[in-house]
Amino acid sequence: MEELINLQLMIFSLIAIGLLVKKIGMMGKTGQKNLTDLVVNLILPCNIVESFMVKFSADIAADFADIFIISLLIQAGCVILGHLLFKKTTEGRRKCLRYGTICSNAGFMGNPLAEGVFGSIGLTLASVYLIPQRVMM
């Protein structure tokens, strides 16, 4: 429990530092975009590839299959919810709301959290979980 609290404090500290850097004008829109691109296009993929460098076994394969099936079921449920919940909204708003229902921010914030709490295997399982969501995106 203490490890989770420390991880949350670290994340909130980084958010606070980011807000401070933005408020004092130390970083503009171009810098924000560059940092986001760096994280999304380089650091996160490298982190995911590194997490898959585990000793493969039947237990890990079974865990991968379980997580993948659970993710597929959740994605199917989100697609169904997206179609049911937003029927009465305008077309443009409906598309946006459906996309937000189907595609969470689990990859961007969830992967570092999974790795921080559960270690490398947590990141590996989180990456497997995100495969159906990324296909939907």
Side-chain angles (χ1 to χ4, degrees):
M1 182 67 170
E2 183 179 332
E3 186 176 312
L4 184 60
I5 291 171
N6 286 338
L7 184 61
Q8 288 175 338
L9 288 173
M10 183 173 56
I11 289 171
F12 287 128
S13 298
L14 290 171
I15 290 170
I17 291 168
L19 285 172
L20 180 67
V21 165
K22 174 74 175 165
K23 284 283 187 199
I24 64 173
M26 196 176 206
M27 182 174 300
K29 293 224 182 266
T30 305
Q32 288 175 336
K33 183 181 177 341
N34 291 343
L35 281 177
T36 301
D37 290 346
L38 179 69
V39 169
V40 171
N41 297 325
L42 181 65
I43 294 172
L44 196 57
C46 289
N47 203 353
I48 291 169
V49 167
E50 191 268 333
S51 77
F52 276 93
M53 294 182 183
V54 296
K55 192 159 191 118
F56 199 73
S57 68
D59 289 338
I60 289 177
D63 289 343
F64 282 6
D66 291 344
I67 294 291
F68 189 76
I69 290 168
I70 290 167
S71 179
L72 281 174
L73 293 172
I74 290 171
Q75 280 302 124
C78 288
V79 169
I80 292 167
L81 274 175
H83 284 296
L84 293 176
L85 294 174
F86 308 117
K87 286 182 178 181
K88 296 180 181 182
T89 61
T90 63
E91 180 65 26
R93 183 172 168 83
R94 184 176 335 143
K95 286 180 181 181
C96 184
L97 292 170
R98 282 182 181 167
Y99 184 82
T101 302
I102 294 168
C103 301
S104 70
N105 196 16
F108 199 70
M109 287 300 292
N111 282 352
L113 194 60
E115 184 179 26
V117 174
F118 301 109
S120 183
I121 194 67
L123 179 59
T124 306
L125 294 174
S127 299
V128 170
Y129 174 83
L130 288 171
I131 291 170
Q133 180 177 315
R134 296 227 165 104
V135 169
M136 291 299 295
M137 290 171 94

